[in-house]
Amino acid sequence: MATVAEKTNVWEKEVLLNGCQAVAQGVKLANVDVIAAYPIRPYTEVMDALSKLIADGEFDSEYIVADSEHSQFEIVKHASSVGARAFGGSSGTGWMYGFEALVVTATDRLPPLFVVGNRALDDPGAFGVEHNDALALRDMGWLLCWASTAQEALEHVLIGYRIAEDSRILMPMALAMDGAFLTHSQHMLKVPTQEAVNRFLPSFDLGKRVLHPDNPVSIAPQVNEDWVMELRRQNWEAARRARTIIPEVYKSFNDIFGPRYDNPFFDEFLCEDAEVVLVGLGAVKMPAQTAVRRMREQGKKVGYVNLRWFRPFPHEQLRATLGRMKGVGVIDRNFAIGSPDNGGIVVQDIRSALYPLAKRPVVTDFIGGLGGRDMSIADCVRMLEITLDAANGKQGDELVTWIGLRE
Amino acid sequence: MATQLPVIDYEKIKKIHDTPLEEFYTSGHRTCQGCESAMVMRDFAKASGPRTVVTGATGCMYVANTSYLTTPWIVPWMHTQLGAGGASAVGMAAGLRAQMRKGKIKNEKINVINFSGDLGAGDMGLSGVSGALQTDYDLLIILYDNESAANTDIQATGLTTYGAQTTFTPPGSKHRIMQRRWKKNVAAMLAVGHPTCRYVATASATFPALDFMNKTRKALGIGGPTFIHTFDPCPKGWDFHPRYSHELGELGIKSGIFPLYEIIDGQVVYTYDARQKGRIPVREYLEKQGRFAHLVDEDVDYIQGMVDTMWNEWDIPGVAPFKAGLSVSGERATV
Amino acid sequence: MIKRVEVNYRGIFQKNLGKYIGGDIVQIASRMGKVAFSNGRYSDAPERNGIPCKYFAFVSPDLSEEELEAECGAKLDIDEADVSVVVDDTMVKGVEPWGWHGVRAINEKVREKGCLLVVSQHTHDNLLQFIPRLPFSWRLASVEGPASLAGLWVYKDDLTRERVLGAIAAVDPGIIAIEAVEAYLLERTTDKHRAEAARASYDATLRNIRVVKAGEGAEWHHEIPRLPTWKEFEDGGVVVPAVPRGFKMGPRGQTRNDAFKRGTTKSHRPVIRFDLCIKCTLCWYDCPDECFDPTDDGLYDVNYEVCVGCHKCAEVCPVPECIVMVDELKFNSDASPWEHHKKDAQGYIKWAEEKKGLDRIHYPHVTGTGMEIREGKYVPPKPEKGGAAAGAKA
């Protein structure tokens, strides 16, 4: 029997797009009102694509070339405050330049969406992928999510706005995608129809929080010790609520566009009977899943967890999935200098999530792929082998193995 | 360059008794007694009226007005970051324009205003203000200048007067003058740098009466991005009794140390033409402030000399520090 | 044993004075072999001219440094005060340092048998009109003199600092002893007159400590606002309603921020002779705190609840004697003066002149260079010869 999705044609066309252009399509379909642009490799092409869509009359939005990332992010934030759906983006050191603006956007409880074309942090300058830019936001009250394919990036612009703008949430959304691997490679992508998108994504309404002469308010007056804790608690609560609202949004997405996401928070690849899994964010999913297939051919019971949502962190669901495993290998495409056991950022959260379990898998960590270095299929096979060894009691003293490092 | 001033559609307040009585910034703020920056807030809000959205950058006019989780604002107001004044105005204007064009909100004139202090518009936020003045959005950025980083308890900024004492520039036994920088000429700098910006002005809530309110209305009426730099005597930072706030504003303007003018479509219109009205000696202004108590004659003479140069030697007196017509060799070219 | 001292002072005008007194207590106590430290109240900063502020000092003869810090340190406010110094007596009407705090009694922190030490020219009875009763006995003492006001950069060296130290030694020698005060002052500057001033103040204070009985004092009507739980304001959070729009002619005609009236900022209030007013608008026009309410007869009523006492209206008013600033302690009501004038014009003039008295306060431009009380009608100052800059040395 034909599904609802097949009956009503929700996909308009298949187009050759790279990751940046895919995001631009998402922004267009979301009928964004204000875009602020500033160039930095590798996300810049998102803004190139948007300007062309506007110039050709395919899309109507204000488009401002800002004087710096700080101004860029502030333009987005204030456009959002007056009720406009707003979009911005950056990468690496540019993201850090405007970091103040990002922090206050969350504490102002405004819901614009930003794309982060993950790029290594300066100094020295390097263009290749590294996740620290987006991860730096993890404590600040942002929704933080990784796309692992360009299709996913397109769809998550829509999913992101819907979640962020939910009046029970009101948190800004950072959609991260690996620089180069996602931003710059071209695939045939399915672009949804505007009509289907309109059914999924309502228009943006800040209600009584909007800054407009018809709604006289004062937003973010100065506070002191009488108020900070309560305001933080409110933000904290919004993130907690988001964990229950996110699955509702994905269900709505699946209902309209077809069953695309089984689990909003992460994808499980061959995990049902796995004893050992790798967990990663972003494009490393490709070589990792290939490695899993190859090792399955050798009879090894391995799988891959593609973690999509980093904040709010899906600790309950991860506990359930990873708690079944004998071993978990975390792929950290980031650095965390001086951290506990010298692990990366993601392993800290994974270990923390697993801590309450009576029976815990062995956890091992891999730091690799920094500054754009490849993480090959062979690297991923090696990571699985190391994790299998660890699961069988053969772990060394160190939590961390550096993958692909010239030693 | 036009030789006639444009007709600006605005409701001029002609006499002091015509000043609108209703407040849009009202009692209940923690500003200093005698605060002239608070006067600027009161006046611009009054001149702009209820169909207004305002952002205020971090500084005295943020922290002092809303201490704590309270507000004196009747018009809608939002905090923005210290250096984000220009960007906040652009964001609001763009957000409103897009929504009006798409029919999401009613199409109407809404005044978009940002106010920022010395650091906000003159130092840290200068690039954002510059970006804003290049756009075609209708907005007004007000630099309220109390000549210090006042909210952090008085430090020097790029707009602090030469010689002034601040916590970063205290006179000591070895160095009497730690504040050796001459005040940045922000308004004129912005006018020179942004030829499509139609209205740049300097003003003061102190003097002349109604001038700042009318300038606010002109800026809001002329169209496009606009900028006003106000001169705000500050009892806390300048060290004088609050009762003299108004007087110090007048003295500063009449000494010529703070020129008062408008630049409308590239034409300079003096509000107070010190060349014609005469200038009082700067000493009469400096000696009434504790922040200059350590100055000696040599310092006062230097300041006087700089002010004399501003008015006697600049090609556009009080406004632009250029002297035209020099040939490459340094001699004035003959026509 | 711990001794706690708080200094209540007018922001900016007395910032240095408050800090010096607090610091001096620590230094003197240290020289006596005690352990001590001091700090300002962090939430007061940034200070504003006139806003009520506090400085603290803690002294112990027997605790260690860590123990004293543990009891008194890492705190925003003082728990209780053995001596509460008030260097501007108008603060006895109550202090409201910021929004959502409420107007607090000046003796809120004074402990049983503790002492409120006020720099004042008023009698104890006058002061007690405003100070609320406590359920236990406490003491009131004064240091005779006007409030010492200055600015950030030019300090007023009028010996208030030294006299307050002497007075503290009188009311609570367990904090600092007068001999130690004298020795410290002699050592610090070698000026004998400072130590002498402290000793004279010590002697005078000993003779004027008044024991205030439990239950003796004024009624207190100010409530402490209840702060909402995080859930209660979750819908708004950082978004708060603006002051509602509203204006009509007459007293209290303009809407104002009811959450923070801050009338306790003032040391003086303007007394207006409506009969002399020429309706030039300048008082209303130039008020940074929007305190005036225009009336239907072209006059301007002043809302004393929100007036912060900046003196600007008195300065800009072109009519001599029309607006005169008067000691805040002469008033126990914030009722509309214009309504009084409307009801009984002649009676109002009598009331106004009685409040004004014959003295007129004159502040120089640089506050720290002095203050004069001139008798008789106000005379505008001549341009100051010399002033602050001329004759200053490196």
Side-chain angles (χ1 to χ4, degrees):
Chain A
M1 185 156 80
T3 62
V4 173
E6 285 159 348
K7 278 192 197 152
T8 62
N9 187 21
V10 296
W11 301 105
E12 182 178 327
K13 54 191 173 185
E14 270 210 343
V15 196
L16 181 68
L17 297 171
N18 67 24
C20 286
Q21 294 162 336
V23 170
Q25 286 297 317
V27 171
K28 170 189 161 212
L29 287 162
N31 195 9
V32 161
D33 299 311
V34 175
I35 296 163
Y38 190 86
I40 186 164
R41 189 171 271 110
Y43 105 101
T44 307
E45 209 183 318
V46 177
M47 297 304 183
D48 295 347
L50 285 168
S51 71
K52 188 78 170 105
L53 288 170
I54 292 169
D56 288 340
E58 285 186 48
F59 169 43
D60 180 9
S61 172
E62 292 296 301
Y63 184 96
I64 298 125
V65 179
D67 55 277
S68 72
E69 282 94 349
H70 187 277
S71 290
Q72 178 195 13
F73 302 165
E74 286 283 338
I75 290 170
V76 169
K77 171 186 123 204
H78 284 282
S80 186
S81 75
V82 297
R85 184 170 280 156
F87 174 78
S90 194
S91 299
T93 197
W95 184 252
M96 301 316 259
Y97 187 97
F99 206 75
E100 177 196 42
L102 300 174
V103 172
V104 300
T105 301
T107 50
D108 278 338
R109 303 294 299 282
L110 289 167
L113 187 145
F114 282 79
V115 66
V116 192
N118 295 125
R119 162 178 158 166
L121 298 182
D122 284 29
D123 251 354
F127 299 138
V129 64
E130 194 178 74
H131 290 163
N132 282 75
D133 47 14
L135 285 170
L137 272 185
R138 64 194 184 277
D139 300 326
M140 299 299 162
W142 279 67
L143 301 163
L144 184 49
C145 163
W146 256 263
S148 58
T149 64
Q151 183 72 39
E152 214 178 326
L154 191 165
E155 292 169 6
H156 276 76
V157 174
L158 309 170
I159 292 171
Y161 273 118
R162 166 112 176 232
I163 296 169
E165 292 172 2
D166 190 305
S167 62
R168 299 165 291 176
I169 298 177
L170 289 178
M171 295 165 64
M173 166 83 173
L175 172 58
M177 52 194 245
D178 288 22
F181 304 133
L182 279 192
T183 54
H184 283 65
S185 80
Q186 299 168 294
H187 298 264
M188 296 304 291
L189 301 184
K190 297 193 295 193
V191 179
T193 63
Q194 187 67 65
E195 184 273 332
V197 170
N198 292 347
R199 277 188 281 137
F200 171 70
L201 181 62
S203 62
F204 176 37
D205 182 7
L206 260 181
K208 289 254 147 257
R209 302 178 68 102
V210 74
L211 191 75
H212 186 277
D214 291 342
N215 183 48
V217 288
S218 289
I219 303 180
Q222 176 84 3
V223 294
N224 64 352
E225 66 276 3
D226 287 339
W227 300 104
V228 175
M229 283 197 70
E230 284 69 29
L231 291 169
R232 300 276 183 254
R233 179 68 179 81
Q234 290 166 359
N235 292 14
W236 193 83
E237 189 67 22
R240 278 189 1 164
R241 268 198 298 269
R243 286 198 187 90
T244 47
I245 294 168
I246 288 171
E248 292 171 13
V249 171
Y250 277 80
K251 177 168 187 313
S252 168
F253 189 87
N254 288 341
D255 284 347
I256 294 172
F257 294 101
R260 300 188 52 68
Y261 298 96
D262 279 335
N263 176 350
F265 298 108
F266 50 86
D267 300 319
E268 297 185 39
F269 181 74
L270 301 181
C271 292
E272 298 80 26
D273 63 340
E275 289 178 346
V276 153
V277 294
L278 293 179
V279 182
L281 291 168
V284 74
K285 169 176 107 169
M286 324 294 187
Q289 286 183 180
T290 311
V292 162
R293 273 200 211 94
R294 293 206 184 150
M295 293 197 72
R296 279 273 175 182
E297 284 161 15
Q298 294 162 27
K300 307 282 195 227
K301 295 204 167 142
V302 294
Y304 182 73
V305 172
N306 172 43
L307 185 59
R308 190 169 11 258
W309 281 88
F310 199 74
R311 285 294 184 269
F313 193 78
H315 51 274
E316 277 186 44
Q317 292 87 343
L318 279 171
R319 244 176 241 150
T321 297
L322 301 180
R324 302 191 320 255
M325 306 301 161
K326 279 181 69 180
V328 173
V330 180
I331 303 173
D332 266 307
R333 204 163 204 159
N334 61 72
F335 60 91
I337 312 297
S339 63
D341 289 317
N342 303 306
I345 293 173
V346 182
V347 75
Q348 310 291 341
D349 281 11
I350 299 266
R351 291 214 294 182
S352 184
L354 294 173
Y355 186 79
L357 291 174
K359 185 163 159 300
R360 298 192 281 269
V362 174
V363 176
T364 187
D365 191 36
F366 304 101
I367 292 179
L370 303 182
R373 184 160 300 180
D374 274 338
M375 295 203 27
S376 64
I377 298 164
D379 286 331
C380 293
V381 167
R382 181 155 168 254
M383 288 193 270
L384 281 164
E385 285 167 348
I386 292 170
T387 312
L388 278 162
D389 280 347
N392 292 321
K394 286 182 243 161
Q395 180 165 43
D397 289 327
E398 295 288 340
L399 170 69
V400 179
T401 309
W402 282 71
I403 296 293
L405 175 72
R406 294 189 298 276
E407 295 190 78
Chain B
M1 205 78 90
T3 51
Q4 247 186 296
L5 287 172
V7 173
I8 305 173
D9 181 18
Y10 79 105
E11 202 183 314
K12 180 172 182 170
I13 307 168
K14 298 202 173 89
K15 307 190 316 287
I16 203 161
H17 285 85
D18 294 337
T19 312
L21 297 177
E22 186 176 0
E23 307 295 346
F24 290 93
Y25 164 87
T26 185
S27 319
H29 39 94
R30 195 176 180 265
T31 48
C32 291
Q33 293 167 344
C35 174
E36 287 295 336
S37 295
M39 284 300 309
V40 168
M41 299 295 112
R42 181 182 175 204
D43 285 355
F44 92 70
K46 189 186 279 274
S48 180
R51 305 310 288 174
T52 303
V53 287
V54 185
T55 53
T58 304
C60 265
M61 290 300 104
Y62 170 49
V63 178
N65 280 323
T66 57
S67 329
Y68 294 106
L69 206 83
T70 187
T71 183
W73 293 100
I74 293 177
V75 284
W77 166 93
M78 176 170 172
H79 174 226
T80 192
Q81 298 320 104
L82 208 159
S88 71
V90 171
M92 288 192 288
L96 291 172
R97 178 189 281 185
Q99 291 180 89
M100 287 183 196
R101 186 170 65 242
K102 294 184 183 182
K104 290 182 185 174
I105 61 176
K106 187 173 107 184
N107 198 342
E108 56 168 319
K109 180 159 166 57
I110 295 178
N111 291 328
V112 172
I113 302 177
N114 162 262
F115 59 82
S116 301
D118 307 19
L119 292 174
D123 287 343
M124 182 193 285
L126 196 50
S127 81
V129 173
S130 173
L133 296 183
Q134 282 187 299
T135 68
D136 62 1
Y137 294 113
D138 296 337
L139 54 87
L140 166 60
I141 297 170
I142 298 173
L143 191 181
Y144 71 90
D145 181 3
N146 42 36
E147 299 200 342
S148 77
N151 190 59
T152 41
D153 288 333
I154 317 296
Q155 288 77 42
T157 67
L159 274 66
T160 303
T161 306
Y162 176 88
Q165 174 160 7
T166 70
T167 69
F168 282 174
T169 57
S173 45
K174 178 142 187 215
H175 302 288
R176 185 182 67 253
I177 303 289
M178 292 286 279
Q179 203 327 70
R180 294 187 295 276
R181 306 191 290 190
W182 190 260
K183 189 185 180 83
K184 272 192 218 180
N185 190 13
V186 180
M189 167 186 13
L190 291 172
V192 168
H194 304 86
T196 57
C197 169
R198 300 188 63 195
Y199 189 87
V200 170
T202 63
S204 179
T206 58
F207 174 82
L210 303 177
D211 183 57
F212 172 57
M213 279 193 264
N214 282 322
K215 283 175 173 166
T216 301
R217 286 189 168 178
K218 280 192 235 184
L220 293 170
I222 197 169
T226 57
F227 180 84
I228 299 179
H229 177 177
T230 67
F231 175 61
D232 306 355
C234 166
K236 171 178 168 177
W238 301 13
D239 191 349
F240 60 84
H241 192 278
R243 72 181 286 141
Y244 300 114
S245 285
H246 177 104
E247 181 191 349
L248 277 166
E250 273 204 52
L251 291 174
I253 290 162
K254 289 178 174 174
S255 73
I257 203 172
F258 190 84
L260 223 55
Y261 56 84
E262 297 165 288
I263 303 177
I264 310 177
D265 282 340
Q267 294 185 88
V268 177
V269 179
Y270 289 100
T271 311
Y272 184 89
D273 191 344
R275 297 170 299 174
Q276 288 169 11
K277 297 209 155 122
R279 288 180 283 125
I280 64 170
V282 290
R283 184 182 291 274
E284 287 181 33
Y285 164 72
L286 301 172
E287 67 191 1
K288 294 181 172 68
Q289 303 167 56
R291 64 176 172 152
F292 297 120
H294 56 287
L295 299 195
V296 299
D297 286 347
E298 175 192 320
D299 307 319
V300 178
D301 290 344
Y302 172 72
I303 296 172
Q304 185 67 64
M306 292 289 278
V307 175
D308 290 342
T309 303
M310 274 163 67
W311 286 99
N312 298 339
E313 294 180 41
W314 289 4
D315 262 23
I316 308 182
V319 178
F322 301 138
K323 298 166 195 175
L326 289 174
S327 67
V328 171
S329 69
E331 294 169 310
R332 269 191 187 266
T334 52
V335 174
Chain C
M1 199 246 297
I2 299 174
K3 290 286 188 182
R4 298 172 171 85
V5 180
E6 66 173 10
V7 182
N8 293 278
Y9 64 94
R10 287 282 178 210
I12 300 303
F13 289 119
Q14 302 182 310
K15 181 179 206 260
N16 289 320
L17 178 63
K19 192 175 67 182
Y20 291 153
I21 293 172
D24 286 347
I25 292 171
V26 174
Q27 298 219 52
I28 297 167
S30 298
R31 278 161 169 71
M32 292 175 68
K34 304 188 194 192
V35 151
F37 74 93
S38 67
N39 56 267
R41 184 171 57 179
Y42 191 64
S43 294
D44 284 330
E47 283 178 32
R48 313 292 177 186
N49 284 65
I51 205 89
C53 300
K54 291 195 184 207
Y55 207 89
F56 307 122
F58 308 98
V59 177
S60 176
D62 48 15
L63 293 181
S64 72
E65 184 91 45
E66 291 106 280
E67 284 169 316
L68 182 63
E69 273 265 20
E71 284 280 351
C72 304
K75 271 194 233 268
L76 291 168
D77 210 325
I78 202 171
D79 292 333
E80 55 177 21
D82 292 280
V83 176
S84 179
V85 181
V86 184
V87 290
D88 178 330
D89 61 0
T90 57
M91 288 196 280
V92 303
K93 287 184 86 171
V95 288
E96 186 185 19
W98 54 76
W100 287 94
H101 193 81
V103 177
R104 304 296 183 97
I106 194 64
N107 62 348
E108 184 186 39
K109 300 291 188 185
V110 174
R111 54 170 300 188
E112 185 170 359
K113 300 211 175 70
C115 185
L116 190 75
L117 175 65
V118 186
V119 175
S120 183
Q121 291 167 305
H122 284 271
T123 64
H124 289 167
D125 280 335
N126 279 1
L127 298 175
L128 281 169
Q129 274 185 72
F130 302 107
I131 305 175
R133 57 187 68 133
L134 292 175
F136 47 74
S137 165
W138 53 283
R139 297 171 295 144
L140 175 63
S142 21
V143 175
E144 160 82 28
S148 172
L149 302 186
L152 280 183
W153 314 126
V154 177
Y155 177 63
K156 184 181 287 167
D157 192 7
D158 59 5
L159 301 175
T160 300
R161 168 188 186 174
E162 290 80 357
R163 295 170 67 223
V164 166
L165 292 172
I168 292 173
V171 305
D172 201 331
I175 302 174
I176 47 179
I178 184 59
E179 294 78 15
V181 173
E182 288 172 301
Y184 166 73
L185 290 172
L186 280 166
E187 191 190 307
R188 206 170 56 80
T189 63
T190 72
D191 295 328
K192 278 180 50 197
H193 71 280
R194 298 186 190 282
E196 285 163 6
R199 168 66 71 163
S201 174
Y202 170 81
D203 291 334
T205 307
L206 278 177
R207 293 193 296 269
N208 87 67
I209 301 176
R210 166 167 169 169
V211 174
V212 181
K213 299 197 268 291
E216 183 187 349
E219 292 257 355
W220 188 250
H221 296 292
H222 298 279
E223 284 176 14
I224 298 177
R226 184 185 80 83
L227 300 175
T229 66
W230 73 266
K231 266 213 176 118
E232 283 169 335
F233 73 108
E234 193 183 6
D235 274 348
V238 295
V239 180
V240 305
V243 175
R245 190 179 168 189
F247 172 79
K248 51 185 211 296
M249 302 289 279
R252 311 289 199 258
Q254 172 65 52
T255 51
R256 295 186 158 96
N257 176 11
D258 284 332
F260 184 46
K261 298 202 173 119
R262 77 152 199 154
T264 63
T265 305
K266 57 183 173 293
S267 306
H268 309 96
R269 66 169 66 178
V271 173
I272 302 172
R273 283 283 301 269
F274 294 104
D275 60 303
L276 301 176
C277 173
I278 60 168
K279 305 179 184 179
C280 71
T281 82
L282 290 180
C283 57
W284 164 86
Y285 183 88
D286 263 323
C287 176
D289 288 274
E290 304 83 30
C291 300
F292 287 88
D293 287 308
T295 63
D296 279 317
D297 53 2
L299 296 168
Y300 296 91
D301 187 32
V302 58
N303 181 337
Y304 288 128
E305 280 185 326
V306 301
C307 169
V308 305
C310 73
H311 294 222
K312 266 190 88 186
C313 52
E315 179 68 16
V316 302
C317 176
V319 178
E321 287 298 299
C322 183
I323 303 183
V324 173
M325 300 303 290
V326 177
D327 180 357
E328 178 62 10
L329 288 181
K330 289 198 175 166
F331 305 89
N332 54 19
S333 159
D334 290 339
S336 156
W338 177 83
E339 274 175 355
H340 185 176
H341 151 81
K342 287 301 276 185
K343 227 172 48 168
D344 174 11
Q346 290 308 311
Y348 176 78
I349 293 173
K350 268 183 66 188
W351 174 89
E353 289 307 317
E354 189 256 324
K355 291 296 177 193
K356 281 153 68 173
L358 292 175
D359 294 338
R360 299 290 177 266
I361 308 152
H362 169 67
Y363 288 108
H365 286 84
V366 181
T367 321
T369 58
M371 187 260 290
E372 282 176 56
I373 309 282
R374 294 180 187 153
E375 218 190 74
K377 287 194 173 176
Y378 179 71
V379 174
K382 294 199 192 63
E384 285 154 6
K385 281 209 172 94
K393 292 281 181 270

